[in-house]
Structures are given as C-alpha cells and as structure tokens.
Amino acid sequence: MSRQAKAPASDAALPSLDQFAAGKLTQLEAQHLRRTLIDSAREGGIYIVRNGRRLISFSCNDYLNLTQHPRIKAAAIEAIRLHGVGAGASRLVTGNHPLFAELEVRLARLKDTEACCVFGSGYLANSGIIPALTGHEDLVLIDELAHACIWAGAQLAKGTVIAFRHNDTSDAERLLRLHRARHPHVLIATDGVFSMDGDLAPLHELAALARRHDAWLLSDDAHGIGVIGGGRGSNFANGRKADVPLQMGTLSKAIGGYGGYLCASAPVIDLVRNRARTLIYSTGLPPATVAAAIAAIDLIEREPDYAALPLRKAKAFTRQVGLPEAQSPIVPVLIGESEAALAASRLLQEEGFLAVAIRPPTVPEGTARLRLTFSAAHPDEEIARLAGIVRTRILKS
Ligand SMILES: *Cc1c(COP(=O)(O)O)cnc(C)c1O
C-alpha cells in the first residue's frame, strides 16, 4: 500500500518530493482529472479484457488490426532471430541495422518523396524535426488543435510560436501577413487527420498558402497513413495529391507497431539526420519493430480494399446515428461535460463496448466526448448495435 493511501495526516513526515507529488495528485483528484493505468489485454484484433470483462474496443488506433496479424508477427520474430532484440546504439553510431534502409525506401515510395528518416516514435519525430529546421529567429504557425508533440517540438526550437484557428486558412494567412516579414523562416504545422475530431486538414489550401508566403508546410499524418488516400495518407485523400514537403507520421497506429518517420526531399532528410537531436541521442528502433513496419506496408500496398474498410465502417456508423459523415476512422461523439462523458462511457461498457471518454485538457473545456475509432475487423452488426445505443440512449435524438 502506498504511504499516501495510508494516512494523509502523516503528510508532514513525508520527504518533500513525495509531499509535492501527493499534493499535485490531490489537486487533480479534486478536478476529476486524475488518471490511472488499467490493465488492458488485447485479444484478437478488436477485443480487450479489462477488469475481468471482455469488451469490443472502439478506442484503439489499431485501425487495420495489424498489431495482431500473423504475417507481421512472423516478420518481427524472424528479425529477432537474424538481428537480435535491440539496435544496440543510436543509428548514427552502430544501431543502423540493415532493415532501416529498407523501411525508409518503402515509406518514401508510399509517400512519393525522395527520402525518409525513421525515428523512435512520432513524438520523438516532431520533437526532433521542428528544432532541426527552425530556430530562435523563426516562426512556427500551428493549428490550435494540433497534437501535443508538435507544440513540444516548436517549444524546443525556441522561436516564435503562434496558433491559428482550427482548419482556418484565412486566419493563418492573416497571421502570415502580420508576421512573415520579421522571420527568416516560417513553418506551418498541422495534423493531417485531427486525432480527437477525426476531420482532415485543408492541405491543398495550406500548401498554396505556404507557397505564396514562402513558408514550409509540415503535416502530421499519424492517423492518416494506412487508412486514408488508399493507405498513402491524408495528403492523398480523394485521389488528389497535396504538395506537402514535410510529411511526418507514426508507425504505431494503422501500421500496428511503433516508431515515427519524416518523408521529405533528399537534402531535408540529410539535414534532419545531422541535426535532429531525438535521432542522434536516442537508440535506434529494435529490428523486430522495423521488420513489422515493412510487413505492414507490404500488406497495405497489396490490399487497398482492406485499408479502405475502417473509413467505410466509420461512415456507416455516422450515417446510422445521423452525425456528419466521417472523414477518417475517428468519430467524436460530443457530450459536453466530463461527468456526462464518463457516464456515457460506463453505459456503453455495460453493453460490452469499450469507448473511452476524452476530457479536458486533452480536448477544450465543455467538449468532453466519446472518441470512437473504427477498425477493419469491427463486425457490421456490432457497429449497428453501437449506433442504436448512441442514438437513442446517449444523444437521445
Ligand atoms: C499519436 C500521435 C502522435 C505520436 O505518435 P507516437 O508514435 O505514438 O509517439 C503524433 N501525432 C499525432 C497527431 C498523433 O495522434
């Protein structure tokens, strides 16, 4: 049992570090913001066993169920046999096992760029790329709803950071008119698919804006690769390629494993390999993880109909509930207050569904929600049952 659980009266006797931690936790508790980790065992592509109950998960980012795919598991096991369990060093020292080059060629081809650099994770990628390309004199313009790791990267770059209104190209243009002249370089950064809302960024408009103002456009396609644009990502949505010179993303969602990447021109990738501190000072990904990503890309390229299923299923759900049509496999069901969102999540759990409530500060105040994610393996009849409950008992429309 932890000390703090035993006797708050004895707080004064705790070392100051523990007192500090216990005090912060009490504050979070009072705001209903304290979080806990729950053992969640995956079973097959879509089931999770939690607290002794088997639930169908609508809260995984495993859109293509590739975390559990036999061919991908076999590729990872074979890589361990051949190369061992770890890279043994940073990629720039001796950790660059031969699978990296193969994965980078495959990603660059998928994204139609000259080159690619693989990082330890998506978070590490943005934390390394943005400070490698911009510095204290530069400006980084970020969509207000963009992912936390874009903000982290921009802070490490130590330049000026300004948010533009969500998906509002005119607001971004207004800011460029005001500030562009004062900065040698400007980076515009956005999610390609927004992780909590599931909507797509207007990448064609942002690309045109970036060209007009000589700014560099970065899109974070963590939730687009594998599932949008025939598996090639959100800048290939609707069959029209958007001109995004910095295409970043993760290997931990539809790709099913772990890792991050940047696809870009050869000189940009060369520079990033020389300057991104999260690449230079962090150990290379394990061989099994890199092999799994290669096998996943194989599957996505060979089976575009399978890659299209998560979005198709999300659209079926939004149609059945009467929500705006899904643009990605992520569908938010807006509830409002945190406690109501938690109650909705509990109701679904009683019906055998796992749909985690997302609360502030992850989403803006007053927009607590269920964030549903659809995968290729979700049975149509379970989607229909979920839609019925959401429509009649949660939204009551
Ligand atoms: C999940 C996510 C990341 C982080 O990727 P990891 O590989 O999990 O570190 C980055 N950006 C967005 C938009 C994400 O949703």
Side-chain angles (χ1 to χ4, degrees), residues 61 63 120-126 145-150 190-196 220-223 248-253 257-261 330 371:
N61 298 320
Y63 303 113
S121 73
Y123 201 108
L124 286 172
N126 275 333
L145 297 187
H147 193 265
C149 62
I150 293 182
T190 183
D191 290 10
V193 177
F194 285 85
S195 54
M196 295 298 139
D220 175 339
D221 210 28
H223 296 277
M248 163 285 156
T250 173
L251 307 172
S252 60
K253 285 158 186 165
Y258 200 60
Y261 65 85
I330 301 168
R371 171 185 178 270

Side-chain angles (χ1 to χ4, degrees), residues 106-129:
R106 297 297 298 274
L107 282 166
R109 194 169 84 197
L110 186 72
K111 291 291 187 177
D112 193 23
T113 60
E114 280 178 350
C116 171
C117 179
V118 166
F119 286 80
S121 73
Y123 201 108
L124 286 172
N126 275 333
S127 309
I129 296 161

Side-chain angles (χ1 to χ4, degrees), residues 25 27 70 82 88 128 163 188 205 212 294 302 328 335 370 378:
L25 289 169
Q27 275 171 22
L82 284 172
I188 302 175
E205 288 173 32
R212 285 199 297 282
I294 295 167
R302 255 193 319 226
S328 75
I335 309 280
L370 300 173
H378 280 126

Side-chain angles (χ1 to χ4, degrees), residues 247-275:
Q247 299 183 51
M248 163 285 156
T250 173
L251 307 172
S252 60
K253 285 158 186 165
I255 306 293
Y258 200 60
Y261 65 85
L262 174 68
C263 289
S265 69
V268 167
I269 293 300
D270 256 355
L271 177 68
V272 161
R273 285 181 178 153
N274 279 275
R275 292 276 303 277

Side-chain angles (χ1 to χ4, degrees), residues 111 192-193 200-201 203-204 221 224 227-242 311 327:
K111 291 291 187 177
V193 177
L200 306 188
L203 290 177
H204 289 278
D221 210 28
V227 287
I228 306 282
R232 303 184 75 184
S234 57
N235 58 314
F236 295 85
N238 308 314
R240 241 176 91 232
K241 183 188 164 195
L311 178 56
Q327 297 176 35

